[in-house]
Amino acid sequence: MVGAKAVTGPNTSLRRTQRTGVSSVMVNPPFYQVSCCGPTPCTCCCHSRWPLVTESTCSRLIYILLHVGASAVCCLLLSRTVVERVWGKAHGIQMPSGFCAHLFGHSHCPVLSGSGAVYRVCAGTATFHLLQAVLLVQLHSPTSLRAQLHNSFWFLKLLFLLGLCAIAFCIPDEHLFPAWHYIGICGGFTFILLQLVLITAFAHSWNKNWQTGAAQDCRWFLAVLLATLGFYSIAVVATVLLFHHYTHPAGCLLNKMLLSLHLCFCGLLSFLSIAPCIRLKQPRSGLLQASIISCYIMYLTFSALSSRPPESVIFEGQNHTLCLPGLSKMESQTPYTSLAVLSAGIMYTCVLFACNEASYLAEVFGPLWIIKVYSYEFQKPSLCFCCPETVKPEEGQRGGATRPTDQETSPAPPVQAQHFSYSYSAFHFVFFLASLYVMVTLTNWFSYEGAELEKTFTKGSWATFWVKVASCWACVLLYLGLLLAPLCWSPTQDLQSPTFRQQCHRISTAR
């Protein structure tokens, strides 16, 4: 066989390899493709090592890594221990006086650590995602320049993100804190409401999906039964542990009342889920969704109790610190760092779940996904109903017109090239809200002055405590609304139209 002729150019280099008389050509991609500095999608960077990773998955992973990295930097700058050991300064890191005088005209420099640093880093990340969310609105083609901006130019976007954070550090404290604090509070509460909508929609969809199978096959009925018992068991065990570790015979009256109230909420929601008047309007309402919500209520209760300041009382002639996990009921209780890490880990996992799930639902159901997701009817049960691999586009929208499945056509490009796996704009907007939520959570919400990482997740604050308690009550009210709303409101004809049912059928098939 004749060997291949080597061709070289400014952006491509070819090498000839001779093996048993057969020559092959190896192409080295340009540097900007390997380093993801140019317009090449990120799959060119990931596909060589992970062939099954798609472009959308790789892009989301990189954005998640950027957000995790920014959150880690915030934690390091907020930690008093890290600042003292690395920089050797107990009162924070100060900007150089000469640079500060040239930039601001006075020697009063902003501190480069503590809550001010967290506000500035999160301001950079929030602005980074908000600008992309605005830029990617009404995106119609995955091959357009705006879509390439979302999936490419990673090195340039990293530099842009660092530049935004650097600009935020140049803003004086008196100009940054008043406005950005209220923006962070509003964005944090909005993200909490979004999380509650997603968790209730998750429980609602799971119950609907498996109840559909339970009506056809006894194995699905057994799965519903086991899942329900499992979630209720977790909720009961969590309640017992919370009563054991966060109450004390000598005090903790608020904790006892809160645990008793939330336990009554779980019982009320479970009763209403199977009440005859509810099942008359919602035949598939059951205990599975109530058990999931009960577990989430217990998690929010644990998160609230672990965020409240400890209570000090005189017990048996000694001063004791109560209402925190301890080794013995008759000993003074000390905070556990492991519980703080567990609470923070679960919180951040919920943050990442909300960012990805909201962007997917926004692409499937459109701008009104918060309403339509509850009206969706499954055609068949599935074990992975919330994690579809592909979703077919709606008629008349992205990807062109659909073709019948029985029509013989030429091989089409991969499905990924025909539609969006998730809404790019919604993805960045939810990450914008997540950045604000992380900012106010790390800095104790309303009491951000003097916030330290060592105190945020161990000693807590009353502001954080009541925010999480209010989140739990909002979750209860939202689920009650889902149960009671059909009693006085019937779905509109639009949700029962052939177009909507056809779209739901495509989603069910893809799932």
Side-chain angles (χ1 to χ4, degrees):
M1 177 178 289
V2 180
K5 183 179 180 180
V7 181
T8 58
N11 296 327
T12 308
S13 61
L14 304 179
R15 286 182 292 178
R16 187 189 310 176
T17 304
Q18 300 288 344
R19 290 185 181 179
T20 64
V22 179
S23 61
S24 61
V25 179
M26 300 180 62
V27 180
N28 291 334
F31 170 76
Y32 71 86
Q33 292 184 3
V34 178
S35 59
C36 289
C37 299
T40 305
C42 59
T43 43
C44 295
C45 306
C46 306
H47 189 72
S48 59
R49 290 184 177 271
W50 304 286
L52 298 180
V53 176
T54 60
E55 180 179 331
S56 61
T57 302
C58 189
S59 297
R60 279 181 287 187
L61 288 176
I62 295 178
Y63 282 116
I64 288 174
L65 290 178
L66 289 177
H67 196 270
V68 171
S71 302
V73 171
C74 291
C75 292
L76 293 178
L77 294 176
L78 191 63
S79 174
R80 183 184 182 92
T81 304
V82 173
V83 173
E84 290 180 353
R85 291 185 178 181
V86 176
W87 284 276
K89 299 180 179 180
H91 300 288
I93 309 169
Q94 294 287 342
M95 184 180 293
S97 57
F99 179 76
C100 179
H102 176 73
L103 185 64
F104 303 115
H106 54 78
S107 58
H108 182 64
C109 303
V111 181
L112 303 182
S113 61
S115 58
V118 174
Y119 268 55
R120 288 174 168 87
V121 173
C122 291
T125 56
T127 306
F128 173 76
H129 287 291
L130 181 61
L131 290 176
Q132 292 195 76
V134 174
L135 183 64
L136 298 173
V137 171
Q138 295 295 328
L139 194 62
H140 299 291
S141 174
T143 59
S144 64
L145 180 60
R146 291 190 295 162
Q148 292 182 10
L149 179 63
H150 171 80
N151 294 313
S152 312
F153 301 100
W154 294 106
F155 183 72
L156 298 179
K157 285 190 289 190
L158 177 60
L159 293 179
F160 181 64
L161 175 60
L162 295 177
L164 291 175
C165 295
I167 293 174
F169 274 97
C170 297
I171 303 176
D173 292 343
E174 59 271 15
H175 296 159
L176 175 70
F177 279 107
W180 194 245
H181 173 66
Y182 290 107
I183 293 175
I185 293 296
C186 296
F189 277 120
T190 304
F191 186 79
I192 288 176
L193 295 178
L194 181 65
Q195 278 189 312
L196 297 181
V197 170
L198 288 172
I199 193 64
T200 52
F202 174 78
H204 198 74
S205 301
W206 190 344
N207 181 77
K208 269 189 175 182
N209 186 279
W210 284 23
Q211 288 287 355
T212 301
Q216 304 171 0
D217 194 339
C218 62
R219 291 175 295 182
W220 283 107
F221 176 79
L222 181 61
V224 171
L225 180 62
L226 292 178
T228 304
L229 292 177
F231 281 114
Y232 273 124
S233 300
I234 295 174
V236 171
V237 171
T239 304
V240 173
L241 292 177
L242 290 176
F243 268 108
H244 178 74
H245 291 291
Y246 286 94
T247 60
H248 195 276
C252 306
L253 179 62
L254 179 61
N255 289 9
K256 296 174 184 176
M257 294 177 58
L258 198 65
L259 283 169
S260 302
L261 178 63
H262 290 181
L263 189 62
C264 293
F265 283 158
C266 294
L268 176 64
L269 297 181
S270 301
F271 171 75
L272 290 178
S273 297
I274 57 175
C277 58
I278 299 296
R279 292 182 63 87
L280 183 63
K281 292 289 185 177
Q282 303 183 56
R284 293 178 182 173
S285 177
L287 291 177
L288 176 58
Q289 57 186 9
S291 64
I292 298 174
I293 298 298
S294 299
C295 281
Y296 192 67
I297 290 175
M298 287 298 107
Y299 158 69
L300 292 178
T301 306
F302 159 70
S303 182
L305 295 180
S306 62
S307 301
R308 63 157 291 179
E311 181 179 333
S312 297
V313 297
I314 298 178
F315 182 66
E316 296 182 351
Q318 295 181 356
N319 190 13
H320 291 267
T321 301
L322 306 179
C323 309
L324 290 175
L327 299 176
S328 174
K329 282 301 200 181
M330 302 307 296
E331 297 179 359
S332 61
Q333 297 173 308
T334 56
Y336 283 170
T337 306
S338 58
L339 290 179
V341 174
L342 176 62
S343 178
I346 296 177
M347 179 204 75
Y348 202 77
T349 302
C350 294
V351 168
L352 297 180
F353 167 77
C355 293
N356 287 275
E357 187 68 10
S359 62
Y360 164 72
L361 294 177
E363 176 65 22
V364 172
F365 294 103
L368 298 179
W369 65 268
I370 294 180
I371 300 176
K372 292 183 178 180
V373 66
Y374 296 108
S375 304
Y376 172 69
E377 295 293 338
F378 292 93
Q379 302 296 324
K380 61 179 181 180
S382 174
L383 291 176
C384 53
F385 59 91
C386 64
C387 303
E389 296 180 358
T390 58
V391 180
K392 296 183 180 180
E394 188 176 357
E395 291 183 1
Q397 294 187 0
R398 307 180 183 100
T402 57
R403 298 174 179 174
T405 55
D406 56 350
Q407 181 179 352
E408 295 184 1
T409 58
S410 58
V415 179
Q416 177 112 8
Q418 298 294 326
H419 73 287
F420 294 94
S421 299
Y422 59 98
S423 173
Y424 292 171
S425 181
F427 178 80
H428 286 288
F429 183 74
V430 178
F431 259 110
F432 161 73
L433 297 178
S435 300
L436 299 179
Y437 175 74
V438 170
M439 180 186 74
V440 294
T441 301
L442 290 178
T443 55
N444 293 329
W445 287 86
F446 300 100
S447 55
Y448 60 87
E449 298 90 350
E452 295 179 2
L453 184 67
E454 290 79 5
K455 298 179 181 179
T456 299
F457 293 105
T458 55
K459 296 184 179 181
S461 66
W462 286 113
T464 305
F465 170 76
W466 286 113
V467 165
K468 294 184 177 181
V469 171
S471 302
C472 184
W473 295 348
C475 181
V476 174
L477 292 177
L478 179 60
Y479 185 71
L480 280 176
L482 292 176
L483 292 178
L484 301 179
L487 297 179
C488 54
W489 172 81
S490 59
T492 61
Q493 295 299 324
D494 293 337
L495 298 181
Q496 303 297 330
S497 61
T499 303
F500 182 78
R501 283 189 275 107
Q502 187 176 8
Q503 178 189 4
C504 293
H505 177 70
R506 292 198 204 99
I507 300 171
S508 177
T509 306
R511 288 171 181 264

